[in-house]
């Protein structure tokens, strides 16, 4: 117990020591700060040389760094070397692996889909295969976070997997050569109506704008656009700037930054700006953050389009990523973002109170308290029409759409949380994939021909009962429409990829997407925002 207490004390002391930057910091601080840094350096040396037990300094130092940053704003963070690999892959837009989408159900890795043309598909791995061994390691019991460590690796290296496939008595053995696998940031792009394009972006990575432009061209350069940034937690600033520049006229201010130790900056739409000038709707929700808020804030402040959905997260702090030499890094907040009208995107926080910060987010954006929230926040005016918008953190939609909880009973939520809905879809596709594919070779055929039967809902409930979730007939009746929709969307995902999932879900919910389509179809009567005013 005493050793544990000492370690906690040491971790908090070392929290003020950032290896490799001590000398640089010392040169910039006054004499008192230098003495504090020297004190911490002495503690580190005494600990490593004199402490009664052997001490592993590396994990203790990492704990100390995390403790330091946890006392600051909610978004300054330490990223260890292993975590940095995943971060780099997500931003780079690709990694080396075998090319499968997977889920872990009942301790078993299920192949949800194979990447078209990817290494796994080329050797014959199929959706719904169960991976039970990777090289010499038994993969049963893996957590979802364990799987990439074994399947990913350098391009050109080999991995061997054993697979169980329904209807095949013997285990199947595959030898797969890893290759570059794209990480797409555009989830879906399709026509939502006559001349109405819909593009959903899940994050802003290095490839986002090239993917977006390809999607926009694939749709035939639609005259009207719904840009879906719901669930988009942000990413790279340069991609957000380019996205806003695609939508805004040349010279329009997109975002500005201000900080204590870094120069203020302002970013404007460049000479290639204004590539799309038609009617625009941007969809947001409470998980849209950072780069998403920069795009939406610029669109709103310039009266360029209509923001529909729920208030965004309110992450408007600029992080500078500083490498620490061993593959790890810190992200240190150095500035704040401002929208073109001057609104601060970051919502208020207290330093060191991260848990309260995230809980406050849920209370702050309770749909039922929107009027009182408006009364408490500063008002701003848009730059073209002078209409009222609100500060106080995040981007407030022009058209507020409350959360659609229709059908989300406690019973159905339990089926989702315990993986029973996914397990049912996997089992169902094992038996019926070829049959469905024959009657619905295209998504349009699927839309016309495929329905969810009452028997399927009953089978789902029975599977839940077999997994310990007792059937609640009243709740099941309430959840039946939602269950039908989600099952249909998950089956479409297995057949047609992520885009199929969103096409089904978007078309079946009474939410922001439906309101966006209505706005687009009725645009002439409502009047488009001013598009010809000078920025």
């Amino acid at each position: 117990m005493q050793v544990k207490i000492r370690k906690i004390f040491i971790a908090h002391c070392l929290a003020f020591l950032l290896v490799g930057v001590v000398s640089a910091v010392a040169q910039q601080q006054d004499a008192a700060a230098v003495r504090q840094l020297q004190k911490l350096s002495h503690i580190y040396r005494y600990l490593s040389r004199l402490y009664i037990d052997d001490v592993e300094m590396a994990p203790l130092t990492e704990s100390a760094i995390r403790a330091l940053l946890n006392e600051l704003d909610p978004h300054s963070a330490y990223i260890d070397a292993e975590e940095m690999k995943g971060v780099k892959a997500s931003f780079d837009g690709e990694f080396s692996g075998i090319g499968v989408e997977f889920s872990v159900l009942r301790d078993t890795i299920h192949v949800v889909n194979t990447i078209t043309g990817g290494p796994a598909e080329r050797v014959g791995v199929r959706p719904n295969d169960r991976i039970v061994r990777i090289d010499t390691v038994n993969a049963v019991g893996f957590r979802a976070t364990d799987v990439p460590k074994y399947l990913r690796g350098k391009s050109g290296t080999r991995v061997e997997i054993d697979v169980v496939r329904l209807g095949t008595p013997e285990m199947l053995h595959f030898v797969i050569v890893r290759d570059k696998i794209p990480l797409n940031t555009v989830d879906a792009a399709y026509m939502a109506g006559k001349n109405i394009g819909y593009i959903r972006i899940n994050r802003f990575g290095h490839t986002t704008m090239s993917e977006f432009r390809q999607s926009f061209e694939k749709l035939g350069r639609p005259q009207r656009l719904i840009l879906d940034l719901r669930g988009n937690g942000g990413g790279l600033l340069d991609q957000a700037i380019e996205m806003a520049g695609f939508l805004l006229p040349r010279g329009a201010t997109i975002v500005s930054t201000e900080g204590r130790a870094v120069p203020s900056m302002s970013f404007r739409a460049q000479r290639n700006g204004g590539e799309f000038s038609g009617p625009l709707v941007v969809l947001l929700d409470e998980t849209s953050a950072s780069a998403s808020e920069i795009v939406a804030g610029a669109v709103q402040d310039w009266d360029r389009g209509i923001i529909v959905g729920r208030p965004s997260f309110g992450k408007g702090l600029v992080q500078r990523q500083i490498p620490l030499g061993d593959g790890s890094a810190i992200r240190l907040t150095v500035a704040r973002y401002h929208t073109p009208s001057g609104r601060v995107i970051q919502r208020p926080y207290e330093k060191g109170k991260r848990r309260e910060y995230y809980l406050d987010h849920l209370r702050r954006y309770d749909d039922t308290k929107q009027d009182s929230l408006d009364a408490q926040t500063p008002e701003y005016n848009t730059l073209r029409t002078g209409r009222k918008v609100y500060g106080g953190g995040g981007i407030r939609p022009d058209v507020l759409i409350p959360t659609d909880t229709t059908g989300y009973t406690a019973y159905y939520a339990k089926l989702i949380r315990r993986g029973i809905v996914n397990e049912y879809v996997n089992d169902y596709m094992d038996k019926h994939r070829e049959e469905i594919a024959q009657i619905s070779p295209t998504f349009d055929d699927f839309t016309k021909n495929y329905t969810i039967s009452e028997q399927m809902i009953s089978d789902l409930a029975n599977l839940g009962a077999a997994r310990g979730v007792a059937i609640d007939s009243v709740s099941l009746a309430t959840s039946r429409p939602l269950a039908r929709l989600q099952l249909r969307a998950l089956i479409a995902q297995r057949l047609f990829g992520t885009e199929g999932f969103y096409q089904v879900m978007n078309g079946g919910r009474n939410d922001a997407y439906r309101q966006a389509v209505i706005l687009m179809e009725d645009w002439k009567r409502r009047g488009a925002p001013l598009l010809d005013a000078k920025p």
Side-chain angles (χ1 to χ4, degrees), residues 481-492:
L482 176 60
R484 279 202 191 97
L485 177 64
Q486 288 194 331
L487 289 177
R488 196 161 181 261
L490 288 168
I491 290 168

Side-chain angles (χ1 to χ4, degrees), residues 357-384:
Y357 173 74
Y358 288 101
L359 288 176
D360 175 66
H361 173 61
L362 300 178
R363 291 191 295 266
R364 179 180 174 80
Y365 293 145
D366 182 342
D367 294 329
T368 64
K369 299 177 181 177
Q370 192 65 37
D371 291 340
S372 61
L373 180 58
D374 287 348
Q376 298 168 15
T377 55
E379 296 178 0
Y380 292 79
N381 296 106
T382 60
L383 302 175
R384 289 178 172 175

Side-chain angles (χ1 to χ4, degrees), residues 174-239:
F174 294 93
V175 179
I176 307 172
V177 178
R178 297 182 179 97
D179 202 350
K180 293 291 185 183
I181 307 298
L183 280 174
N184 295 325
T185 61
V186 172
D187 281 334
Y190 61 87
M191 296 302 291
K194 185 177 181 181
N195 297 322
I196 304 173
Y198 167 88
I199 301 178
R200 179 185 177 94
I201 301 173
N202 61 54
R203 69 187 180 283
F204 287 91
H206 283 300
T207 62
T208 295
M209 279 309 296
S210 62
E211 291 180 52
F212 175 83
R213 291 175 191 278
Q214 288 173 9
S215 298
F216 189 73
E217 294 295 332
K218 182 189 79 171
L219 298 181
R221 302 185 63 85
Q223 298 173 15
R224 294 173 280 184
L225 180 64
I226 299 171
L227 178 62
D228 192 347
L229 300 180
R230 293 176 296 178
N232 185 320
L236 300 178
L237 175 62
D238 68 314
Q239 296 293 295

Side-chain angles (χ1 to χ4, degrees), residues 299-350:
V299 166
Q300 188 176 54
D301 280 2
W302 285 109
D303 295 289
R304 174 60 187 87
I306 297 176
I307 312 300
V308 177
R310 297 189 294 279
S312 63
F313 185 85
K315 181 185 181 299
L317 297 178
V318 184
Q319 277 79 49
R320 176 173 293 174
Q321 188 162 290
I322 305 170
L324 298 181
D326 62 348
S328 64
I330 60 169
R331 284 185 184 159
L332 197 62
T333 295
V334 297
R336 294 179 176 85
Y337 287 122
H338 295 261
T339 71
S341 68
R343 290 181 288 168
V344 175
I345 292 175
Q346 178 63 43
R347 60 189 170 87
Y349 62 88
E350 291 186 57

Side-chain angles (χ1 to χ4, degrees), residues 260-490:
R260 179 184 65 84
V262 297
S264 298
M265 298 185 69
S266 181
F267 299 87
R268 294 177 177 272
Q270 299 303 308
R271 56 187 175 83
N272 61 340
E275 296 176 66
F276 173 75
S277 58
L280 172 68
V281 170
V282 178
L283 303 184
L284 293 182
D285 67 10
E286 62 278 3
T287 59
S288 306
S290 191
S292 296
E293 295 172 297
I294 288 171
V295 174
V299 166
Q300 188 176 54
D301 280 2
W302 285 109
D303 295 289
R304 174 60 187 87
I306 297 176
I307 312 300
V308 177
R310 297 189 294 279
S312 63
F313 185 85
K315 181 185 181 299
L317 297 178
V318 184
Q319 277 79 49
R320 176 173 293 174
Q321 188 162 290
I322 305 170
L324 298 181
D326 62 348
S328 64
I330 60 169
R331 284 185 184 159
L332 197 62
T333 295
V334 297
R336 294 179 176 85
Y337 287 122
H338 295 261
T339 71
S341 68
R343 290 181 288 168
V344 175
I345 292 175
Q346 178 63 43
R347 60 189 170 87
Y349 62 88
E350 291 186 57
K351 291 182 178 179
K353 295 187 176 181
R354 298 194 177 202
R355 182 173 182 275
E356 292 82 352
Y357 173 74
Y358 288 101
L359 288 176
D360 175 66
H361 173 61
L362 300 178
R363 291 191 295 266
R364 179 180 174 80
Y365 293 145
D366 182 342
D367 294 329
T368 64
K369 299 177 181 177
Q370 192 65 37
D371 291 340
S372 61
L373 180 58
D374 287 348
Q376 298 168 15
T377 55
E379 296 178 0
Y380 292 79
N381 296 106
T382 60
L383 302 175
R384 289 178 172 175
T385 67
R387 63 194 178 88
K388 189 183 300 181
V389 289
Y390 294 96
I395 305 300
R396 203 76 48 78
D398 303 303
V399 179
L400 181 67
I401 306 295
T403 306
D404 185 358
T405 58
T406 306
Y408 277 105
T409 62
Y411 166 73
Y412 188 65
K414 194 177 292 186
L415 293 179
I416 295 172
R417 287 197 306 270
R418 296 195 181 182
I420 293 165
V421 173
N422 264 329
E423 182 181 356
Y424 173 77
V425 171
N426 282 349
D427 292 344
Y428 179 83
M429 293 302 288
D430 271 339
K431 301 170 184 175
H432 302 286
R433 174 182 291 273
E434 292 185 6
E435 169 193 337
I436 301 171
Q438 281 185 346
I439 64 171
S440 303
T442 68
F443 183 80
D444 285 342
D445 293 327
F446 180 85
T447 301
K448 297 172 185 175
N449 302 333
Y450 187 77
T451 58
I452 302 297
S453 68
E454 285 296 316
Q455 185 60 51
M456 293 173 69
I457 302 298
S458 298
D459 291 343
L460 171 63
N462 290 333
L463 177 62
R467 298 287 183 254
V469 181
I471 297 175
D472 181 337
S473 299
V474 175
S475 295
L476 180 61
T478 302
S479 298
R480 185 171 276 108
L482 176 60
R484 279 202 191 97
L485 177 64
Q486 288 194 331
L487 289 177
R488 196 161 181 261
L490 288 168

Side-chain angles (χ1 to χ4, degrees), residues 494-510:
R494 268 52 169 191
L495 294 171
F496 306 105
T498 306
E499 187 171 290
F501 174 85
Y502 284 109
Q503 278 193 263
V504 173
M505 288 301 297
N506 284 341
R509 301 291 286 169
N510 184 21

Side-chain angles (χ1 to χ4, degrees), residues 16-17 20-21 35 47 64 96 102 105 150 243 256 280 303-304 306 330 389-390 413 443 456 466 475 479 532:
F16 297 96
L17 180 63
V21 299
R35 287 195 296 271
L47 171 64
S96 292
F102 69 89
L105 293 172
Y150 290 88
M243 172 66 72
S256 59
L280 172 68
D303 295 289
R304 174 60 187 87
I306 297 176
I330 60 169
V389 289
Y390 294 96
F443 183 80
M456 293 173 69
S475 295
S479 298
D532 55 355

